[in-house]
Amino acid sequence: SAAFFGSGSTTSGVIEVPGEVTEQQAEALQDGWEKGHRGLRKAHRPGVLHYFALAASMADLVNAQALTPEDEPAPVFLPVSPPEA
């Protein structure tokens, strides 16, 4: 990494995937991303974040919190008297 960054190189982004990937799978992901964003017409195309893996990990975090009924907000109703005539 010292040789990479020492020569002024920077990464143009990071692709995150759930689980482990092989070298071949990582190269296929990189190649597919580059192909989809190469050239003037595609230079500023947005990437697509598939958030399902992230949402699943967040759901696990939320489900790990033990909540009681007292933790839930309850509606509060205040009676309002009609204005006097």
Side-chain angles (χ1 to χ4, degrees):
S1 76
F4 179 79
F5 292 109
S7 66
S9 298
T10 60
T11 59
S12 61
V14 175
I15 299 173
E16 182 178 350
V17 296
E20 299 291 323
V21 295
T22 65
E23 286 274 334
Q24 294 80 14
Q25 290 171 323
E27 286 182 26
L29 281 169
Q30 289 172 326
D31 292 344
W33 183 266
E34 289 173 357
K35 181 180 178 186
H37 292 84
R38 186 178 295 134
L40 291 177
R41 289 184 157 197
K42 299 178 184 178
H44 299 285
R45 278 183 75 189
V48 176
L49 173 63
H50 294 276
Y51 62 88
F52 297 111
L54 177 62
S57 67
M58 293 302 291
D60 291 341
L61 178 68
V62 170
N63 289 332
Q65 300 298 316
L67 296 177
T68 65
E70 290 79 28
D71 294 323
E72 293 292 324
V76 176
F77 296 101
L78 299 175
V80 176
S81 299
E84 293 184 24

